[in-house]
Amino acid sequence: MSEKIAVLGAGSWGSILASVLDENGHDVRLWSYNPKQVEELNTQHTNTHYIKDFTFSPSLVAYSDLASALTDVDAILFVVPTKAIRSVAGQVATILQDQHLQPQLIHASKGIEQQTYKRLSQVLEEEIPAENRQAVTVLSGPSHAEDVASKDITLVTAASASPEAAKYVQKLFMTSYFRVYTNPDIIGVEIGAALKNIIALGAGALHGLGYGDNAKAALMTRGLAEISRLGTSFGADPMTFIGLSGVGDIIVTATSSNSRNWRAGDELGRGEALDDVINHMGMVIEGLATTKAAYELSRERGVSMPITEAIYQVIYEGKDIRTAISDLMQREGRSEF
């Protein structure tokens, strides 16, 4: 199966997913809003700002013109930051209408839209009319771009309300090192993918403060409980959260310096100012906005999320991190389940 696929977003994850698809023999068009990045990809076959020491195949072509990238495509993979999903999807919708196309839609971004609190598949469905698309599938799981680039063993899940769409995405991506499972629970997969970034921020902060493995294990375990509570309040399957896009994604993002959310938390724990962390990170720190969305959702839905609330207070209300940890530890005792 050789498909024409547009990958929208040439950051670390988008460009490496494009490389996997290219390696599988697909006609891949990698779109970026940055003409200089497109030129580098097409002439030097590198993407040095995002992926160090990696050379892309010359058969992978980058585009700065969105309409050209979408010409006659069978599938579109969105890997743009959460805040850009709606605007890019709106542009895509216009082009698909003009070209009379109805491609498969996939997204591999991880976040919740601010203000609306909507999952990204919902945003895509709102912006792109049903007559111009197939079902939406989410590709998610414990996967650092750097590790996929080095062909480390990676397992992810393709989640969709359409079993056929999930299997289609599974076939697109499967390689000897990149294994894809399917899952019908698109709600749970998207919520797990987004909220694990909050826990990664907290885990990085614990590291920066000098806490040990016990504290990090406690944070990840109780953080997973919070994610599960919020997810199931929306109708997610609880089993999803002990799978790849739940516990798997928490492990990979909350234990590795490859995670920009972990690195941001680590710097905050070491006493860096939030604005300085944001300015020199050079990439979007999705966990910051997701913390706000999750905190506000938890209050709206009456879901207990004390860790999320503590991280929100540190980021948005200036609360001292050590005080936030102390307050968490001194809460009234309760049953684990």
Side-chain angles (χ1 to χ4, degrees), residues 162-178:
S162 165
E164 294 77 16
K167 290 177 182 177
Y168 171 83
V169 173
Q170 183 181 50
K171 290 178 181 178
L172 287 181
F173 282 94
M174 288 275 278
T175 73
S176 60
Y177 61 90
F178 195 84

Side-chain angles (χ1 to χ4, degrees), residues 190-206:
E190 286 189 294
I191 289 177
L195 269 62
K196 55 87 182 178
N197 284 329
I198 303 172
I199 308 308
L201 282 170
L206 289 179

Side-chain angles (χ1 to χ4, degrees), residues 100-320:
H100 306 289
L101 295 176
Q102 195 179 33
Q104 296 279 349
L105 295 189
I106 314 160
H107 88 74
S109 301
K110 298 181 178 183
I112 295 173
E113 188 177 46
Q114 295 299 293
Q115 298 183 329
T116 69
Y117 308 135
K118 289 183 177 177
R119 293 177 287 108
L120 302 187
S121 64
Q122 294 175 301
V123 175
L124 293 176
E125 289 169 347
E126 286 182 359
E127 291 296 319
I128 302 176
E131 61 267 24
N132 290 120
R133 60 171 169 81
Q134 301 293 320
V136 177
T137 302
V138 179
L139 187 73
S140 187
S143 47
H144 287 311
E146 296 84 356
D147 289 345
V148 177
S150 64
K151 293 183 167 51
D152 192 18
I153 291 173
T154 302
L155 276 63
V156 298
T157 191
S160 179
S162 165
E164 294 77 16
K167 290 177 182 177
Y168 171 83
V169 173
Q170 183 181 50
K171 290 178 181 178
L172 287 181
F173 282 94
M174 288 275 278
T175 73
S176 60
Y177 61 90
F178 195 84
R179 182 170 176 81
V180 184
Y181 290 82
T182 61
N183 187 333
D185 182 20
I186 194 169
I187 296 173
V189 167
E190 286 189 294
I191 289 177
L195 269 62
K196 55 87 182 178
N197 284 329
I198 303 172
I199 308 308
L201 282 170
L206 289 179
H207 182 269
L209 288 162
Y211 285 92
D213 294 337
N214 289 3
K216 296 165 193 171
L219 174 78
M220 288 188 280
T221 306
R222 297 310 301 166
L224 181 62
E226 292 189 10
I227 293 170
S228 181
R229 283 198 294 269
L230 185 63
T232 54
S233 79
F234 283 99
D237 183 345
M239 291 296 291
T240 296
F241 301 107
I242 61 170
L244 291 168
S245 61
V247 66
D249 226 345
I250 285 179
I251 290 171
V252 81
T253 54
T255 63
S256 172
S257 59
N258 280 334
S259 165
R260 70 192 69 165
N261 291 282
W262 186 96
R263 295 199 305 272
D266 180 56
E267 292 181 15
L268 289 172
R270 294 177 188 276
E272 295 284 339
L274 178 60
D275 287 345
D276 293 337
V277 173
I278 294 171
N279 288 335
H280 76 245
M281 187 63 63
M283 293 181 277
V284 175
I285 307 168
E286 290 283 11
L288 298 177
T290 304
T291 297
K292 184 174 185 293
Y295 169 72
E296 292 173 351
L297 272 174
S298 70
R299 293 176 66 84
E300 179 183 288
R301 302 182 70 83
V303 175
S304 175
M305 301 183 72
I307 294 172
T308 300
E309 181 177 359
I311 294 172
Y312 172 87
Q313 290 170 340
V314 169
I315 293 172
Y316 291 97
E317 297 178 353
K319 188 172 184 177
D320 178 73

